[in-house]
Amino acid sequence: MNDRDERHRLFLALDTIWRSVNGDDAARSSYRQLVKLSAAQWRANGSPVDEEARVLRIDLGQMEQWLVSVLDAWRSSTPSEMIEPWDWHYQAGAMGRALSDRVPLDDLAALNARYFRDLGADVSALHVHYDLAPRVGKTPVAFTDFGDRPHLVNGTWQPGEPWVFATYRVGGLDNLYELLHETGHAVHIAAIHQRPAFLDWPDNDAFTEGLGDVAALEAYEPRWQMHYLGDSVPTAMGLRARYAGVVLDIAWALFEVRMNRDPSADPNRIWGDITSRYLHITPHPELSWWAMRGQLIDSPGYMANYAIGAIIIADIRARARELHGDFTTGDSTWYAFMSDRIYRFGLARSSADVITDFLGRPISPNAILADMRRMRGAR
């Protein structure tokens, strides 16, 4: 929204949601009581963040350091001028605004199909189905799931029918990216080739969610944009759009870690300290604007899945290039390579085994940090 005053007004209108979570930020607020309970559980049973790290064989002592290192990479690679929180998404959306006219609504599905066909993943041949039109009562949430699952019939393997659900009333690069992400999930589950007991999503939410981005993240690259849209934005603008959501999720993950470490702390001040130091966002301790993620309430600690997932997928994308070559504008052998090395296992192998075997080493944040550093002086 170009009108800054209107952005501010609508941002403050969310105060009703924030107050339902944190009241007036007093010591007896609902959220502060929740954190006291979750912190006690974490002390007694271990935190979900630690469990996620343990399952993925990440050194527990390194996890918080990784979160901080990614936030610090954003801090040092982006302009230092402070911005208001109601301007954050507007600045991050510069790429989408610049290229929105290149992606009309009627072209969404075709552009999506073209890119995956160029990667060797023909969505028609893989029996991927799409439900993208608006209708009354339809969930606004985009998601992908199995329809009919792959199976054997008289000794012959029959493909399944992945389904992608989303609702698009307009086109634009942001909606195209979401569709690319969901199709990334669809081609993943289409490639799972296991007996019924193992024919399901991998056993780790961070890995599973991140796999939707392996191919989709190329949409932020100028070469991809020029090839598929006929126009592009500067590299720095594309990378800032790529990582703005990631670093905000990581800020929430770090916020939960610190609140559960000290449940007597003021969440507004903890959030303001994190976002001002690393994201250049002007602190507003009078506003509980952190309180807009449902996961903070119904799944304390879950935000770490998004943080860890972003680190894993950057590592996998870099390793795929190292092993198989660039795929920004397509590679007809890419899908077969990824299916054989990553996608086909379902539940037959642990996510940790699949990841570390592919990488040839433990998970590392080096790839995401290197990619983010491309924002420095990039044009």
Side-chain angles (χ1 to χ4, degrees):
M1 183 171 293
N2 291 322
D3 187 330
R4 190 169 186 269
D5 290 338
E6 185 70 355
R7 290 202 302 273
H8 187 192
R9 185 185 71 80
L10 292 174
F11 179 84
L12 293 179
L14 293 170
D15 187 59
T16 302
I17 296 172
W18 309 335
R19 287 184 179 276
S20 73
V21 175
N22 196 43
D24 60 358
D25 195 35
R28 296 291 299 173
S29 81
S30 298
Y31 182 75
R32 291 200 186 196
Q33 298 309 304
L34 174 66
V35 168
K36 289 179 181 178
L37 295 172
S38 67
Q41 287 187 332
W42 288 21
R43 285 193 300 270
N45 305 317
S47 77
V49 180
D50 288 348
E51 176 62 15
E52 185 77 5
R54 185 190 65 78
V55 168
L56 291 170
R57 301 172 195 155
I58 298 170
D59 187 314
L60 300 183
Q62 291 183 332
M63 180 50 62
E64 186 172 348
Q65 296 174 30
W66 286 10
L67 301 182
V68 170
S69 69
V70 175
L71 292 176
D72 200 52
W74 177 273
R75 181 193 62 79
S76 62
S77 301
T78 54
S80 60
E81 292 81 9
M82 300 296 284
I83 64 171
E84 294 291 349
W86 46 88
D87 293 329
W88 172 266
H89 290 293
Y90 183 76
Q91 288 200 5
M95 180 191 74
R97 293 192 302 276
L99 297 175
S100 61
D101 291 344
R102 294 285 179 167
V103 190
L105 176 61
D106 291 344
D107 288 355
L108 277 178
L111 285 166
N112 172 73
R114 177 188 167 195
Y115 177 46
F116 278 95
R117 186 170 57 249
D118 290 348
L119 293 174
D122 187 321
V123 294
S124 295
L126 293 172
H127 302 278
V128 179
H129 296 266
Y130 292 90
D131 181 351
L132 307 179
R135 64 174 180 275
V136 175
K138 184 180 180 182
T139 177
V141 177
F143 67 98
T144 300
D145 209 343
F146 293 92
D148 188 23
R149 298 190 180 220
H151 56 280
L152 284 172
V153 175
N154 298 324
T156 301
W157 187 257
Q158 301 296 317
E161 294 183 353
W163 275 84
V164 173
F165 297 88
T167 300
Y168 299 124
R169 292 178 172 84
V170 298
L173 186 56
D174 295 325
N175 279 344
L176 175 59
Y177 172 77
E178 180 181 78
L179 186 57
L180 293 169
H181 171 88
E182 295 302 331
T183 300
H185 287 314
V187 301
H188 165 206
I189 63 177
I192 298 175
H193 196 132
Q194 302 295 333
R195 62 188 177 89
F198 298 131
L199 213 159
D200 210 333
W201 298 94
D203 64 358
N204 182 272
D205 288 337
F207 182 49
T208 297
E209 183 59 32
L211 284 177
D213 278 336
V214 177
L217 285 172
E218 292 305 304
Y220 293 100
E221 295 291 338
R223 283 199 301 123
W224 189 97
Q225 295 161 5
M226 187 60 69
H227 184 79
Y228 289 100
L229 307 181
D231 197 3
S232 67
V233 299
T235 298
M237 185 184 293
L239 289 172
R240 287 168 192 163
R242 173 185 289 175
Y243 286 114
V246 169
V247 295
L248 199 56
D249 283 347
I250 290 177
W252 269 307
L254 185 61
F255 167 81
E256 286 201 287
V257 168
R258 293 184 175 176
M259 282 303 303
N260 278 275
R261 179 182 299 144
D262 181 9
S264 66
D266 181 340
N268 287 8
R269 293 195 177 277
I270 293 291
W271 182 246
D273 289 346
I274 292 170
T275 54
S276 61
R277 174 174 175 77
Y278 298 111
L279 308 187
H280 312 298
I281 297 176
T282 303
H284 284 274
E286 76 281 10
L287 300 176
S288 302
W289 70 271
W290 52 267
M292 59 176 73
R293 288 301 294 258
Q295 296 91 334
L296 299 174
I297 306 306
D298 61 24
S299 301
Y302 191 87
M303 292 303 300
N305 284 311
Y306 300 111
I308 298 170
I311 292 169
I312 291 171
I313 294 313
D315 215 0
I316 285 175
R317 281 166 45 81
R319 181 63 169 159
R321 278 197 173 79
E322 182 182 338
L323 294 174
H324 194 70
D326 181 75
F327 54 93
T328 301
T329 56
D331 171 358
S332 62
T333 66
W334 181 89
Y335 184 55
F337 167 77
M338 291 297 294
S339 297
D340 181 61
R341 303 292 295 272
I342 297 283
Y343 293 151
R344 66 185 174 93
F345 296 108
L347 292 174
R349 301 185 68 205
S350 73
S351 293
D353 283 344
V354 174
I355 295 167
T356 54
D357 282 359
F358 183 75
L359 296 176
R361 52 169 171 74
I363 299 165
S364 164
N366 291 340
I368 193 171
L369 298 177
D371 198 41
M372 293 178 74
R373 284 194 289 268
R374 291 197 294 137
M375 288 186 286
R376 297 178 185 175
R379 294 291 182 266

